[in-house]
Every structure is written in C-alpha cells, then in structure tokens.
Short mmCIF file of all heavy atoms in Angstrom, two decimals:
data_model
loop_
_atom_site.label_atom_id
_atom_site.label_comp_id
_atom_site.label_asym_id
_atom_site.label_seq_id
_atom_site.Cartn_x
_atom_site.Cartn_y
_atom_site.Cartn_z
N ARG A 109 1.17 1.06 7.17
CA ARG A 109 2.41 1.51 6.52
C ARG A 109 3.03 0.38 5.71
O ARG A 109 3.54 0.63 4.60
CB ARG A 109 3.39 2.02 7.57
CG ARG A 109 4.64 2.67 6.98
CD ARG A 109 4.28 3.83 6.09
NE ARG A 109 5.47 4.50 5.54
CZ ARG A 109 5.50 5.08 4.35
NH1 ARG A 109 4.42 5.09 3.59
NH2 ARG A 109 6.61 5.66 3.92
N MET A 110 2.99 -0.85 6.20
CA MET A 110 3.51 -1.99 5.44
C MET A 110 2.75 -2.16 4.13
O MET A 110 3.34 -2.43 3.08
CB MET A 110 3.40 -3.27 6.27
CG MET A 110 4.51 -3.48 7.27
SD MET A 110 4.52 -5.17 7.88
CE MET A 110 5.97 -5.12 8.92
N SER A 111 1.43 -1.98 4.20
CA SER A 111 0.61 -2.12 3.00
C SER A 111 0.94 -1.06 1.96
O SER A 111 0.82 -1.29 0.75
CB SER A 111 -0.88 -2.04 3.37
OG SER A 111 -1.22 -3.10 4.26
N GLU A 112 1.35 0.12 2.43
CA GLU A 112 1.72 1.20 1.53
C GLU A 112 3.05 0.94 0.83
O GLU A 112 3.25 1.36 -0.32
CB GLU A 112 1.80 2.52 2.29
CG GLU A 112 0.45 3.02 2.81
CD GLU A 112 0.58 4.18 3.77
OE1 GLU A 112 1.72 4.47 4.22
OE2 GLU A 112 -0.44 4.80 4.08
N LEU A 113 3.94 0.23 1.52
CA LEU A 113 5.31 0.06 1.01
C LEU A 113 5.54 -1.25 0.27
O LEU A 113 6.37 -1.31 -0.66
CB LEU A 113 6.31 0.16 2.16
CG LEU A 113 6.45 1.51 2.85
CD1 LEU A 113 7.32 1.39 4.08
CD2 LEU A 113 7.02 2.54 1.88
N PHE A 114 4.83 -2.31 0.67
CA PHE A 114 5.13 -3.64 0.15
C PHE A 114 3.86 -4.37 -0.27
O PHE A 114 2.75 -3.95 0.06
CB PHE A 114 5.86 -4.47 1.22
CG PHE A 114 6.97 -3.74 1.92
CD1 PHE A 114 6.88 -3.42 3.27
CD2 PHE A 114 8.11 -3.35 1.22
CE1 PHE A 114 7.88 -2.75 3.92
CE2 PHE A 114 9.13 -2.67 1.86
CZ PHE A 114 9.02 -2.36 3.21
N ASN A 115 4.03 -5.48 -0.99
CA ASN A 115 2.92 -6.39 -1.24
C ASN A 115 2.83 -7.30 -0.02
O ASN A 115 3.51 -8.33 0.07
CB ASN A 115 3.19 -7.22 -2.50
CG ASN A 115 3.08 -6.39 -3.76
OD1 ASN A 115 2.31 -5.44 -3.81
ND2 ASN A 115 3.87 -6.73 -4.77
N VAL A 116 2.02 -6.90 0.92
CA VAL A 116 2.04 -7.55 2.23
C VAL A 116 0.82 -8.46 2.41
O VAL A 116 -0.30 -8.13 2.00
CB VAL A 116 2.10 -6.50 3.36
CG1 VAL A 116 0.88 -5.61 3.37
CG2 VAL A 116 2.30 -7.16 4.72
N SER A 117 1.07 -9.60 3.02
CA SER A 117 0.01 -10.53 3.41
C SER A 117 -0.12 -10.45 4.93
O SER A 117 0.80 -10.81 5.66
CB SER A 117 0.37 -11.96 2.99
OG SER A 117 -0.58 -12.89 3.51
N LEU A 118 -1.27 -9.93 5.39
CA LEU A 118 -1.50 -9.71 6.82
C LEU A 118 -2.34 -10.84 7.40
O LEU A 118 -3.14 -11.46 6.70
CB LEU A 118 -2.19 -8.37 7.05
CG LEU A 118 -1.43 -7.13 6.58
CD1 LEU A 118 -2.31 -5.90 6.70
CD2 LEU A 118 -0.14 -6.95 7.39
N ARG A 119 -2.19 -11.05 8.68
CA ARG A 119 -2.96 -12.08 9.38
C ARG A 119 -4.35 -11.53 9.70
O ARG A 119 -4.48 -10.42 10.22
CB ARG A 119 -2.23 -12.44 10.68
CG ARG A 119 -2.72 -13.70 11.36
CD ARG A 119 -2.27 -14.91 10.63
NE ARG A 119 -2.56 -16.13 11.40
CZ ARG A 119 -2.80 -17.30 10.85
NH1 ARG A 119 -2.80 -17.42 9.53
NH2 ARG A 119 -3.03 -18.36 11.59
N GLU A 120 -5.38 -12.30 9.37
CA GLU A 120 -6.73 -11.83 9.60
C GLU A 120 -7.16 -11.96 11.06
O GLU A 120 -8.02 -11.20 11.52
CB GLU A 120 -7.72 -12.57 8.70
CG GLU A 120 -7.54 -12.25 7.22
CD GLU A 120 -8.60 -12.88 6.36
OE1 GLU A 120 -9.48 -13.57 6.90
OE2 GLU A 120 -8.55 -12.69 5.12
N ASP A 121 -6.61 -12.93 11.78
CA ASP A 121 -6.90 -13.04 13.21
C ASP A 121 -5.58 -13.08 13.96
O ASP A 121 -4.52 -13.04 13.36
CB ASP A 121 -7.76 -14.28 13.52
CG ASP A 121 -7.09 -15.57 13.04
OD1 ASP A 121 -5.86 -15.72 13.23
OD2 ASP A 121 -7.79 -16.43 12.48
N ASP A 122 -5.66 -13.15 15.28
CA ASP A 122 -4.44 -13.05 16.08
C ASP A 122 -3.97 -14.40 16.60
O ASP A 122 -3.32 -14.49 17.63
CB ASP A 122 -4.65 -12.08 17.25
CG ASP A 122 -3.31 -11.54 17.76
OD1 ASP A 122 -2.35 -11.53 16.97
OD2 ASP A 122 -3.24 -11.15 18.93
N THR A 123 -4.30 -15.46 15.88
CA THR A 123 -3.80 -16.78 16.26
C THR A 123 -2.45 -17.04 15.59
O THR A 123 -2.20 -16.53 14.48
CB THR A 123 -4.79 -17.88 15.84
OG1 THR A 123 -4.98 -17.80 14.42
CG2 THR A 123 -6.12 -17.71 16.56
N PRO A 124 -1.57 -17.81 16.22
CA PRO A 124 -0.29 -18.12 15.58
C PRO A 124 -0.49 -18.95 14.32
O PRO A 124 -1.45 -19.70 14.19
CB PRO A 124 0.46 -18.94 16.65
CG PRO A 124 -0.24 -18.64 17.93
CD PRO A 124 -1.66 -18.37 17.59
N MET A 125 0.41 -18.78 13.38
CA MET A 125 0.38 -19.61 12.18
C MET A 125 0.73 -21.06 12.53
O MET A 125 1.54 -21.32 13.42
CB MET A 125 1.39 -19.10 11.15
CG MET A 125 0.94 -17.93 10.32
SD MET A 125 2.15 -17.58 9.01
CE MET A 125 1.24 -16.40 8.03
N SER A 126 0.14 -21.99 11.82
CA SER A 126 0.53 -23.39 11.95
C SER A 126 1.89 -23.58 11.29
O SER A 126 2.37 -22.71 10.54
CB SER A 126 -0.50 -24.30 11.28
OG SER A 126 -0.48 -24.11 9.87
N ARG A 127 2.50 -24.71 11.54
CA ARG A 127 3.81 -24.97 10.94
C ARG A 127 3.72 -25.02 9.41
O ARG A 127 4.60 -24.54 8.71
CB ARG A 127 4.38 -26.27 11.50
CG ARG A 127 5.86 -26.49 11.15
CD ARG A 127 6.47 -27.57 11.98
NE ARG A 127 7.86 -27.81 11.60
CZ ARG A 127 8.90 -27.13 12.07
NH1 ARG A 127 8.69 -26.15 12.93
NH2 ARG A 127 10.12 -27.43 11.67
N GLU A 128 2.63 -25.59 8.90
CA GLU A 128 2.46 -25.65 7.46
C GLU A 128 2.26 -24.25 6.88
O GLU A 128 2.76 -23.94 5.79
CB GLU A 128 1.28 -26.54 7.09
CG GLU A 128 1.01 -26.62 5.59
CD GLU A 128 2.23 -26.95 4.75
OE1 GLU A 128 3.06 -27.79 5.18
OE2 GLU A 128 2.38 -26.36 3.66
N GLU A 129 1.53 -23.39 7.60
CA GLU A 129 1.35 -22.01 7.12
C GLU A 129 2.68 -21.27 7.10
O GLU A 129 2.96 -20.49 6.17
CB GLU A 129 0.35 -21.28 8.01
CG GLU A 129 -1.09 -21.70 7.82
CD GLU A 129 -2.03 -21.03 8.79
OE1 GLU A 129 -1.71 -20.98 10.00
OE2 GLU A 129 -3.10 -20.55 8.35
N LEU A 130 3.52 -21.50 8.11
CA LEU A 130 4.84 -20.88 8.13
C LEU A 130 5.69 -21.39 6.96
O LEU A 130 6.39 -20.61 6.29
CB LEU A 130 5.55 -21.18 9.45
CG LEU A 130 5.06 -20.42 10.68
CD1 LEU A 130 5.70 -20.99 11.95
CD2 LEU A 130 5.38 -18.93 10.56
N ALA A 131 5.62 -22.70 6.71
CA ALA A 131 6.38 -23.28 5.60
C ALA A 131 5.93 -22.68 4.27
O ALA A 131 6.76 -22.35 3.41
CB ALA A 131 6.22 -24.80 5.59
N GLN A 132 4.62 -22.51 4.10
CA GLN A 132 4.11 -21.92 2.88
C GLN A 132 4.58 -20.48 2.72
O GLN A 132 4.94 -20.04 1.62
CB GLN A 132 2.57 -21.97 2.88
CG GLN A 132 1.91 -21.35 1.67
CD GLN A 132 2.27 -22.04 0.36
OE1 GLN A 132 2.70 -23.20 0.36
NE2 GLN A 132 2.11 -21.34 -0.76
N ALA A 133 4.62 -19.74 3.83
CA ALA A 133 5.11 -18.36 3.78
C ALA A 133 6.58 -18.32 3.38
O ALA A 133 6.99 -17.48 2.57
CB ALA A 133 4.91 -17.70 5.14
N LEU A 134 7.37 -19.24 3.91
CA LEU A 134 8.79 -19.28 3.56
C LEU A 134 9.00 -19.65 2.10
O LEU A 134 9.97 -19.23 1.47
CB LEU A 134 9.51 -20.28 4.46
CG LEU A 134 9.68 -19.90 5.93
CD1 LEU A 134 10.15 -21.10 6.75
CD2 LEU A 134 10.65 -18.75 6.08
N ARG A 135 8.09 -20.44 1.55
CA ARG A 135 8.21 -20.86 0.15
C ARG A 135 7.84 -19.75 -0.83
O ARG A 135 8.28 -19.77 -1.98
CB ARG A 135 7.33 -22.09 -0.11
CG ARG A 135 7.86 -23.38 0.50
CD ARG A 135 7.12 -24.59 -0.03
NE ARG A 135 5.77 -24.68 0.47
CZ ARG A 135 5.40 -25.41 1.52
NH1 ARG A 135 6.31 -26.12 2.19
NH2 ARG A 135 4.15 -25.45 1.92
#
C-alpha cells in the first residue's frame, strides 16, 4: 500500500539501518 501511495524506499532485509544510513535517509 505504501508503494501505491508514495515514492517509497523499502528495506531489502530485516537488519536495522546503520547510523549513516539513517542520516542519509533524513537528508
């Protein structure tokens, strides 16, 4: 449903994001 409504970037695996990955997402 998110993919239908938004330009969404989904996580390919179920590991937590690193701090740098979170920072990149916020940017």
Side-chain angles (χ1 to χ4, degrees):
R109 187 58 178 148
M110 278 194 176
S111 299
E112 293 170 348
L113 293 172
F114 314 114
N115 288 329
V116 63
S117 173
L118 299 172
R119 193 74 171 151
E120 292 186 0
D121 57 43
D122 202 24
T123 58
M125 279 187 170
S126 67
R127 191 166 178 85
E128 178 51 39
E129 287 176 314
L130 286 170
Q132 179 62 20
L134 290 169
R135 287 192 288 264

